Amino acid sequence: MTKVCPETGERTLQEPVLTVSTDVSFASNHFPTYTLGPDNEIVDEPKEDEKGPSVKETVEEESQLLSDQHKRLSVRDLASKFDKKLAAAVSLADEAKLKEVASLEGHVMLKKLRDALEYMRGRTDGQNKEDVEKAISMVEALAVKLTQNEGELIQEKFEVKKLGNFLKQTSEDAKKLVNHEKSFACAEIESARAVVLRLGEAFEEQERSSKASRAQGPDVEKMVEEVQEARQIKRMHHPTKVMGMQHELHGLRSRIQEKYMNSVRLHQEIATIKRAEESKSCPFVLESTQSLGSCLKIRVNAPDNAIDLSNCSIQWYRAACETSRREAISGANQVVYAPEPFDVGRILQADILSNGHKVTVTTNGPINPEAGLQSRIDSLMKKSNSEFSVVISQMNGQDYASRSHVFTVGKTRIKLSRGWITKAREIYSTSMQLCGVRGNIKAPAKALFWQPRKSLTFTLTFESEQERNTAIALARKYAFDCNVTLLGPDD
């Protein structure tokens, strides 16, 4: 028997072999199986592998990816943010105009009032004439003050106008840049979409020719080139340009914020200088460093001024800033006051009523936090309970002589004990109160007021100011986790 096999000849490959990109996915990862018959004809046709994706699915997937890429290149939100900032600057300018009109009306009213008083002074004599002259001097003082306010208003108007022009120019430049980059990106996306459509048509044409002629397959080299071209165009459309624009906008926003903070700092320095000038003529002044852990004390400014603070009525207040509404600190009516953690970042004021005249003294700025307090609190937050050594100074408002006790601040309750004896133990509730001491007591910066429940109060003195402030801040954090706000009376 003679074995018949197809004639094969050895041929040397002269042309370089073209490499196929790893991004190309073929329908099958192995050679087809078939049987040769007479005249080298294929008897068993290879079966198509149904696991690979179809051409339509591939085209739809590429189209969806391009559509998502086009949506990511939308930058309308970036332009709208600049428009909002510009609108805010315009509103500030309008407010400045209204204030200017009001100032002009005030000058007109003061002039009419002064003319009327001058007319009355010529027609009166004796005590009435002196009253009229006093009223004229008051009107002149108001006119001077109104002129000063008008000067400050003009300065603020100039700053607002300068900021508005800067925002307007920045918005126009950003819009031009955004429109240019958007049009360029849209043109490239449309070009890529056209290439993908041509690729899909080529795939469909190749499928039709494959079914008709039963040839070996599509032109792989041409398909690889088109796929590589489409993927290269796709990679070019990553949002690198938009990200660069976002970084530039972020930098502009940071510079604007920095200029705003510098303006606020300058205003604060000017206010501090004004307060220093006013304090020279003020009969009272605040002593001590104005930070947490210190003790503010009111003293008479001039030694030759015979004013007895014990005969004066005092009330302390806290406020977010000098122009905001003040909040009276209940029970704080002594010459000294020790700030507590709730006062950090706020301005403290004291009204002093002496001989029918009220004088207000104010801290130079917000109360500063105590150094190392936050790290101490963070380390204690990792524990389930924190113990502090205290001495009971008062109980239910009466002086109390005692030895050292342990004040335990837990995640759900507070306990005061000495050895096995428990003085008080209560969970966090709305009836519990905790704050710094506001009455007359020795070392107020080391003492706190604690009301576990109604009809039971303690005044506890700690070993140091930091221990007292740590216990207050820690207890308030745990109480907040239990949906309870732990503050002082009437806070």
Side-chain angles (χ1 to χ4, degrees):
M1 180 179 294
T2 304
K3 183 177 181 181
V4 180
C5 63
E7 296 179 358
T8 58
E10 297 180 358
R11 292 180 295 177
T12 304
L13 296 176
Q14 300 295 335
E15 298 178 356
V17 180
L18 296 176
T19 59
V20 181
S21 174
T22 57
D23 297 333
V24 181
S25 60
F26 295 95
S28 177
N29 58 358
H30 57 84
F31 288 95
T33 57
Y34 52 87
T35 304
L36 292 176
D39 298 332
N40 296 333
E41 293 181 355
I42 299 175
V43 178
D44 296 332
E45 296 180 357
K47 296 181 179 180
E48 295 181 356
D49 191 2
E50 297 178 355
K51 294 183 180 180
S54 63
V55 177
K56 293 183 178 180
E57 292 176 354
T58 303
V59 174
E60 290 177 356
E61 183 179 358
E62 294 291 338
S63 300
Q64 184 65 28
L65 290 175
L66 287 173
S67 178
D68 295 340
Q69 187 68 34
H70 182 270
K71 292 179 180 179
R72 284 198 297 269
L73 289 174
S74 178
V75 290
R76 295 177 181 176
D77 294 338
L78 300 178
S80 65
K81 290 182 179 179
F82 271 104
D83 292 335
K84 291 180 181 179
K85 297 293 183 180
L86 184 60
V90 172
S91 65
L92 290 175
D94 295 338
E95 291 179 2
K97 291 181 180 178
L98 293 177
K99 290 182 180 178
E100 185 178 359
V101 173
S103 177
L104 181 61
E105 292 177 356
H107 278 293
V108 174
M109 292 177 63
L110 288 177
K111 186 176 183 307
K112 291 182 178 180
L113 180 59
R114 190 178 185 284
D115 295 338
L117 291 174
E118 290 286 348
Y119 177 77
M120 290 178 62
R121 185 172 65 178
R123 297 174 62 90
T124 57
D125 56 356
Q127 183 66 27
N128 294 331
K129 187 173 183 180
E130 294 179 356
D131 295 338
V132 170
E133 290 177 351
K134 186 182 294 186
I136 292 173
S137 63
M138 293 175 62
V139 170
E140 291 177 350
L142 288 175
V144 172
K145 187 174 182 180
L146 184 60
T147 304
Q148 293 177 354
N149 294 336
E150 186 177 7
E152 295 177 355
L153 179 61
I154 293 173
Q155 182 65 22
E156 292 179 358
K157 181 180 177 182
F158 175 76
E159 294 178 357
V160 169
K161 185 176 180 180
K162 184 178 179 181
L163 180 62
N165 294 334
F166 175 75
L167 287 173
K168 185 175 180 180
Q169 182 64 30
T170 307
S171 177
E172 292 176 356
D173 295 340
K175 285 182 179 180
K176 291 178 181 178
L177 182 61
V178 166
N179 293 331
H180 176 72
E181 296 297 336
K182 183 178 178 182
S183 60
F184 180 76
C186 290
E188 290 185 345
I189 289 174
E190 293 296 331
S191 176
R193 186 174 296 172
V195 172
V196 172
L197 292 176
R198 290 197 302 270
L199 181 60
E201 293 175 357
F203 281 160
E204 293 177 356
E205 182 66 21
Q206 190 65 34
E207 285 182 350
R208 288 194 295 268
S209 62
S210 177
K211 292 179 180 179
S213 60
R214 299 296 181 182
Q216 292 182 358
D219 191 354
V220 179
E221 296 179 355
K222 183 178 180 180
M223 183 176 64
V224 169
E225 292 177 356
E226 292 181 350
V227 170
Q228 288 180 346
E229 182 181 1
R231 291 190 179 276
Q232 184 179 3
I233 294 174
K234 178 183 175 182
R235 284 194 297 269
M236 291 173 60
H237 289 81
H238 283 294
T240 54
K241 296 181 179 179
V242 177
M243 290 177 64
M245 293 166 57
Q246 289 179 349
H247 288 308
E248 292 180 1
L249 295 177
H250 181 71
L252 291 174
R253 192 180 297 112
S254 300
R255 287 195 291 272
I256 293 173
Q257 184 68 19
E258 183 180 357
K259 291 184 179 180
Y260 172 75
M261 294 303 296
N262 291 334
S263 176
V264 172
R265 181 176 56 80
L266 290 175
H267 282 295
Q268 290 178 351
E269 292 179 356
I270 293 172
T272 303
I273 295 173
K274 289 183 178 179
R275 282 196 299 269
E277 293 177 353
E278 293 175 356
S279 63
K280 294 180 180 179
S281 60
C282 182
F284 304 99
V285 69
L286 285 178
E287 283 185 339
S288 180
T289 58
Q290 299 172 3
S291 61
L292 187 63
S294 63
C295 184
L296 300 178
K297 183 178 180 180
I298 303 173
R299 69 170 179 85
V300 179
N301 191 12
D304 56 346
N305 195 349
I307 298 178
D308 189 4
L309 286 174
S310 60
N311 298 328
C312 299
S313 176
I314 301 173
Q315 177 60 53
W316 291 84
Y317 297 87
R318 65 168 65 96
C321 60
E322 293 185 1
T323 58
S324 63
R325 186 177 64 86
R326 301 189 305 174
E327 175 187 353
I329 305 174
S330 177
N333 50 18
Q334 300 297 324
V335 177
V336 297
Y337 175 74
E340 59 162 282
F342 189 65
D343 297 323
V344 174
R346 293 176 170 84
I347 293 175
L348 297 181
Q349 295 179 345
D351 288 350
I352 307 167
L353 185 61
S354 175
N355 298 327
H357 298 283
K358 186 176 72 172
V359 179
T360 302
V361 291
T362 309
T363 56
N364 293 331
I367 299 299
N368 298 319
E370 185 177 0
L373 179 63
Q374 188 60 41
S375 60
R376 171 75 170 157
I377 294 173
D378 294 339
S379 62
L380 293 178
M381 287 283 288
K382 300 176 182 179
K383 302 179 182 179
S384 59
N385 295 308
S386 300
E387 296 182 351
F388 302 91
S389 179
V390 299
V391 175
I392 302 177
S393 301
Q394 291 182 358
M395 181 174 178
N396 292 330
Q398 302 295 328
D399 293 339
Y400 188 88
S402 69
R403 298 181 181 179
S404 178
H405 287 67
V406 177
F407 186 68
T408 306
V409 179
K411 294 184 180 295
T412 58
R413 64 183 181 181
I414 299 178
K415 183 177 71 172
L416 178 64
S417 62
R418 182 175 180 271
W420 296 97
I421 302 174
T422 301
K423 287 284 187 181
R425 180 175 58 191
E426 293 293 333
I427 63 173
Y428 298 112
S429 62
T430 55
S431 62
M432 182 181 291
Q433 294 179 357
L434 184 72
C435 65
V437 168
R438 300 170 181 176
N440 188 9
I441 191 173
K442 186 179 179 181
K446 298 180 181 181
L448 63 78
F449 170 82
W450 180 42
Q451 177 182 298
R453 58 182 180 274
K454 293 183 179 179
S455 71
L456 180 60
T457 60
F458 293 96
T459 299
L460 307 177
T461 302
F462 288 73
E463 294 180 348
S464 65
E465 293 84 354
Q466 189 181 54
E467 292 291 309
R468 171 252 204 181
N469 295 325
T470 302
I472 294 175
L474 197 63
R476 286 175 177 171
K477 285 181 178 292
Y478 288 149
F480 183 77
D481 294 338
C482 298
N483 296 325
V484 176
T485 302
L486 199 59
L487 297 174
D490 300 331
D491 283 346

